[in-house]
Amino acid sequence: MEKYQEIERTIIKTYRAHLWAPFVKALKEYKLLSPNDKVCVCISGGKDSMLLAKLFQELKRHSDFEFEVKYLVMNPGYNPKNLEQIENNLRLMHIDAEILNTDIFAIANAQIKNPCYLCAKMRRGALYKLAQGLGCNKIALGHHFDDVIETTLMNMLNSGSFQTMLPKLHSENYPGMELIRPMYYIRERDIVRWSNYNELKFINCACKFTENIDYQKNLSGSKRYDTKVLIKELLKYNPLVEKIYLRVPIM
């Protein structure tokens, strides 16, 4: 059995209850996929989006209706080392993805104020445009359950708004295009366990601000890291706090 086959087997066997089952649950519960859809699976090069690509490959094999999938790596200007890591993983995991180059990092990092905001905005716009060019009507992103909770809490505490990551979102600027998050119920810890079990190495944050530092040792102080710590403290207060979030109606 080749390496990519072993990786696939762990998704539907070893970690079936923690990866495959919640993936299928989100698809069905939020009606994220329909017959004849053409989905653009966006791969950033991290563990989450790479797993998403493998999940869609499995879904394609086992689905009871026809749909089409395109795998896309939108390169915003990764350094050669990061880009090589992404290309190596695509080959290792047998993911036939198209890599399209942009100069988003260069443009965003030339700004003095809010380069991160500009980068995120430009990357999202580029994804919509590229996916539309591929003839897709849906964009699949690799945000997981922890991303959803953290983003919601960050918005509440830092901007005073209850804005979250929805499992699906219709685009206002690109008619007929829908963004979906099929990993909505998957926990980050299970993605890490799957990655470590298969001895896989992915890029972390590929931003120009972090690519030259030890990523894992420099998380402290970031809003998302601080929010992760806060959630751990909230779980001590109420172990059900994450499950309570699932009861909040999704509009």
Side-chain angles (χ1 to χ4, degrees):
M1 183 180 295
E2 294 190 40
K3 180 64 175 179
Y4 79 94
Q5 294 173 314
E6 294 176 0
I7 293 171
E8 292 168 354
R9 184 175 178 82
T10 61
I11 292 175
I12 60 174
K13 295 291 184 180
T14 312
Y15 295 103
R16 184 182 186 89
H18 298 99
L19 298 179
W20 179 251
F23 171 71
V24 173
K25 177 183 178 182
L27 287 172
K28 291 182 177 179
E29 189 166 317
Y30 296 113
K31 299 178 181 178
L32 302 183
L33 202 61
S34 301
N36 301 316
D37 272 345
K38 189 170 183 179
V39 184
C40 178
V41 175
C42 298
I43 302 171
S44 67
K47 65 185 188 313
D48 307 328
S49 60
M50 284 289 190
L51 171 60
L52 178 65
K54 295 306 295 181
L55 286 166
F56 263 97
Q57 285 182 334
E58 287 299 321
L59 184 66
K60 184 69 175 170
R61 296 188 188 103
H62 302 293
S63 178
D64 55 3
F65 61 80
E66 290 295 323
F67 66 95
E68 195 173 341
V69 186
K70 293 285 185 179
Y71 301 95
L72 172 67
V73 176
M74 191 275 292
N75 176 16
Y78 296 132
N79 66 32
K81 184 178 179 181
N82 280 330
L83 186 58
E84 182 181 14
Q85 180 71 67
I86 293 172
E87 292 172 337
N88 289 340
N89 280 331
L90 291 174
R91 285 191 291 269
L92 174 68
M93 301 173 73
H94 274 222
I95 300 172
D96 184 17
E98 184 173 357
I99 299 178
L100 297 176
N101 300 318
T102 72
D103 56 359
I104 290 175
F105 276 173
I107 296 173
N109 290 325
Q111 304 298 312
I112 298 177
K113 295 183 178 180
N114 298 323
C116 295
Y117 170 79
L118 178 60
C119 180
K121 184 177 180 179
M122 291 178 66
R123 292 176 76 171
R124 181 61 57 85
L127 284 177
Y128 274 110
K129 187 175 294 185
L130 292 172
Q132 192 175 61
L134 293 172
C136 298
N137 67 303
K138 290 185 177 178
I139 294 175
L141 299 181
H143 295 126
H144 48 67
F145 182 77
D146 298 75
D147 286 328
V148 176
I149 293 180
E150 291 162 12
T151 299
T152 304
L153 192 55
M154 286 169 64
N155 285 331
M156 290 175 63
L157 297 178
N158 295 289
S159 65
S161 64
F162 189 81
Q163 295 181 1
T164 187
M165 289 180 170
L166 298 174
K168 63 180 177 180
L169 183 67
H170 294 280
S171 173
E172 296 181 357
N173 299 321
Y174 294 85
M177 188 72 72
E178 188 175 68
L179 185 149
I180 60 174
R181 295 184 171 97
M183 292 169 61
Y184 207 74
Y185 287 135
I186 295 179
R187 300 305 307 263
E188 184 176 26
R189 61 174 177 259
D190 294 318
I191 301 175
V192 172
R193 287 170 58 207
W194 167 79
S195 176
N196 291 340
Y197 183 90
N198 288 292
E199 299 180 331
L200 298 170
K201 293 183 179 180
F202 302 106
I203 68 170
N204 290 303
C205 179
C207 172
K208 292 290 184 181
F209 292 114
T210 59
E211 64 184 10
N212 294 319
I213 64 175
D214 188 331
Y215 184 76
Q216 294 301 325
K217 292 181 180 179
N218 286 274
L219 285 173
S220 182
S222 73
K223 291 295 184 183
R224 187 162 293 276
Y225 177 81
D226 291 344
T227 304
K228 287 178 182 290
V229 174
L230 176 58
I231 290 173
K232 288 182 180 179
E233 292 300 315
L234 290 174
L235 285 170
K236 294 177 183 178
Y237 169 75
N238 183 356
L240 300 177
V241 68
E242 293 174 324
K243 291 183 179 181
I244 290 173
Y245 171 82
L246 288 178
R247 298 175 187 171
V248 176
I250 300 297
M251 303 303 292

